[in-house]
Amino acid sequence: MDAQSRGRAENIDPADQWVLNPNTGEYELRLGNSAPQSPVPGPRASRRGRPADPGAERGRGGAAVREAPERGAEVPQPRRRRGAEPEPPPGRRNRRPVKKKSKAKKIVAWTGGGLALVLVATGSAGYLYLKHLEGNVSATDVGSAAKQGFSKDDAFNILIIGTDKRTGAGNEGYGDKNSVGHADTNILLHVAKDRTNATALSIPRDMIVDVPDCETLQPDGSRKVIPGSSQVRFNTSLGQEGRDPGCTMRTVKAVTGITPDHFMMVDFNAVKTLTSAVGGVKVCLKHPVNDKDSHLRLPAGESKIEGEQALAFVRTRHAWGNQGDLDRIKVQQQFMGSLMRDMSSSDTLTNPGKLLDLAEAATNALTVDKGIKSVSTLKDIALEMKKVPPKNITFLTVPVVDNPAEKVHATVVVNRTTGPEIFDAINNDVSFTDVKKKAKAAKDAQAARLKGTRSAPSDVRVRIMNGGAVAGSAQETLNWMQTEKSILKSENAGNAPAELSRTTLEYAPDQAPQARELAALMGLPGSALKPGKSVDNAQGLPAMSLTLGKDFKGAGVSLTAPAKAPDVSDKSTADKVQCAS
């Protein structure tokens, strides 16, 4: 494109530059009077008047990401019906094309206080542009703390981390200017296997925990185990003594029993860039705020905030409730719900200019584990999250009580009465909202497997394999069966061929009574029972196969999920507008 064409393009609405290519049936970027281009967006003027990036047409390392069409190349025009008006010539159109709802370019972005989770998915923006976005994302190798990949068929847990590390100009008023980047804002996001619901569990930074030993990757490529710490604030699980996000993930597992699969992290500056890219976030206040510490000034009622104001909104604690971190968490959850509503609005999803700005800001702000750095994985995660209805996304906070070891209360500890119930519900994929289950018939069939006659324990014949449980679990279970449950026809068959996320019991049709007895003794749900075939044991006799998955909690500990989640008074959902107080 020559300079004159670029000058004209700066005054063109971005939506007018996306036109239908009759050969592909998809919308593509048309610049000036050129033919439809490859759907790889090149440099363009910012919505806010910023100059276009002169290097935007080249990928990292200078590789070209778009070629102009050959001179004289013809683009076939779509046929028109007899008697219809002729199509206008290429160039600026006098009306915008009707956008396809099912193939609109989509980006799903989340934020939790520090905007710590941003997922990017683009539909027809082009492979090379997606690779460019992937190059924007930073990745940290946290070893075995994170999974190596992502499965679209399973429930998943992502730890969202907002650090108090200050990058960018204008952040002097927030946090410790010398901070190494502690875990300032933390949300454990659980997305249900059937995508009917999700739970966002906030973890207070001032909660006292035991941080376990954690292995970290050093700059020279070596690995170093950083010793754990007892009875320290949760936020020290990151940054302190060189701890990486993998240490925070391991701390979450130690405290809640829930295993994060991946992490996503941003710092202060990302709050400003992302809210500006999306065009601002709507918030609601019950009373006016004029906080001299954070410089947040907002009237009562609804306001739209971005940039510096957005950062002040999620960082201030003096303007809310008792001026503590727990009240600030509630406000951050409200902010998160508001951003999700804005992101899913048609104003965002049908605006190419806004989507491209957001894609660049989001990927430049994001740090993830290596297991989800690839563009295809980020896209898969975003699309899976988009399936969850906002009304079924629940925001909770870890139940806590004042730290009994302190005379002047400054920290909190997990409430051991109500906390385990919430952790157990999340671990077992139980929704905190009423949802319509998609597979009721299948669940009824699974429950039916537990009904019927049961064999005596002495008649149960089973081989036990470890398919992802803690090392030694198969032998522990064998000892428990033989000494406590009189299941003497049992044996340890070693490790399973592959790891499983859930414990399974496979059996032949004539072994159903044995399977029901073993399920009752072990607390196995109907979903764990897999009708199939038997396998000969060491004596050459047919036996059932019990494979202990990653969900196995120990011999004699029930794996049956609670029928419903516990009632939580302070929960909220993403579809409801709430006013901060």
Side-chain angles (χ1 to χ4, degrees), residues 151 155 280 354:
S151 171
K354 184 179 289 188

Side-chain angles (χ1 to χ4, degrees), residues 2 5 19 33 47 67 101-102 147 165 177 188 212 223 358 385 413 462 473 501 511 518 532 538 541 561:
D2 57 28
S5 298
V19 299
N33 293 320
R47 293 182 300 105
E67 296 180 0
K101 292 183 180 179
S102 61
K147 286 186 175 180
K165 192 171 184 179
K177 66 180 180 181
L188 180 62
R223 291 193 173 272
L358 183 60
M385 289 178 59
V413 297
V462 60
S473 294
S501 59
Q511 295 173 320
L518 187 58
L541 298 174

Side-chain angles (χ1 to χ4, degrees), residues 202-459:
S202 293
I203 303 172
R205 67 174 190 176
D206 294 330
M207 186 172 69
I208 297 299
V209 298
D210 291 337
V211 177
D213 296 346
C214 60
E215 184 181 73
T216 60
L217 183 66
Q218 302 300 299
D220 63 0
S222 64
R223 291 193 173 272
K224 174 184 177 182
V225 175
I226 299 178
S229 302
S230 298
Q231 296 298 288
V232 295
R233 295 176 191 248
F234 180 89
N235 66 345
T236 62
S237 63
L238 177 67
Q240 198 80 6
E241 300 179 23
R243 294 184 176 118
D244 64 14
C247 300
T248 309
M249 296 173 72
R250 291 183 172 96
T251 303
V252 170
K253 182 178 180 180
V255 173
T256 66
I258 305 169
T259 303
D261 300 314
H262 303 285
F263 82 88
M264 293 186 175
M265 178 174 71
V266 297
D267 58 25
F268 280 174
N269 207 51
V271 181
K272 298 194 292 189
T273 60
L274 291 171
T275 52
S276 294
V278 77
V281 176
K282 295 178 182 177
V283 296
C284 179
L285 278 68
K286 288 185 177 179
H287 57 78
V289 170
N290 186 354
D291 181 18
K292 64 179 181 180
D293 294 312
S294 66
H295 308 294
L296 178 65
R297 294 179 178 85
L298 289 173
E302 188 176 279
S303 297
K304 198 165 190 178
I305 59 175
E306 62 176 278
E308 191 70 36
Q309 266 194 323
L311 179 56
F313 186 85
V314 299
R315 284 296 305 154
T316 184
R317 63 167 65 189
H318 300 296
W320 321 123
N322 295 321
Q323 303 186 16
D325 191 49
L326 297 180
D327 288 306
R328 180 172 64 174
I329 285 175
K330 294 178 184 177
V331 173
Q332 291 172 346
Q333 291 172 345
Q334 294 164 14
F335 183 86
M336 180 176 180
S338 179
L339 181 66
M340 291 170 59
R341 290 190 296 274
D342 286 346
M343 288 305 305
S344 61
S345 70
S346 59
D347 179 59
T348 297
L349 296 180
T350 60
N351 187 325
K354 184 179 289 188
L355 290 178
L356 294 177
D357 277 354
L358 183 60
E360 293 292 344
T363 51
N364 275 303
L366 194 61
T367 299
V368 301
D369 59 271
K370 297 190 72 173
I372 57 174
K373 176 177 170 56
S374 75
V375 64
S376 61
T377 303
L378 288 174
K379 180 189 71 174
D380 287 344
I381 293 175
L383 295 179
E384 291 305 305
M385 289 178 59
K386 187 177 180 294
K387 295 177 182 178
V388 183
K391 67 179 181 179
N392 292 335
I393 301 173
T394 306
F395 300 117
L396 306 173
T397 302
V398 172
V400 294
V401 295
D402 289 333
N403 185 358
E406 296 175 335
K407 292 183 178 179
V408 178
H409 297 303
T411 61
V412 294
V413 297
V414 174
N415 185 327
R416 291 300 174 188
T417 301
T418 57
E421 293 180 325
I422 290 178
F423 305 153
D424 193 41
I426 295 174
N427 237 342
N428 286 286
D429 210 19
V430 178
S431 175
F432 284 83
T433 58
D434 294 328
V435 298
K436 295 180 179 179
K437 295 296 182 180
K438 298 177 180 179
K440 186 177 185 302
K443 290 184 178 297
D444 290 345
Q446 292 171 357
R449 296 170 191 165
L450 299 173
K451 299 177 181 179
T453 59
R454 289 161 42 182
S455 301
S458 57
D459 292 332

Side-chain angles (χ1 to χ4, degrees), residues 12-23:
I12 296 176
D13 188 321
D16 289 332
Q17 297 177 277
W18 290 88
V19 299
L20 180 67
N21 186 331
N23 293 328

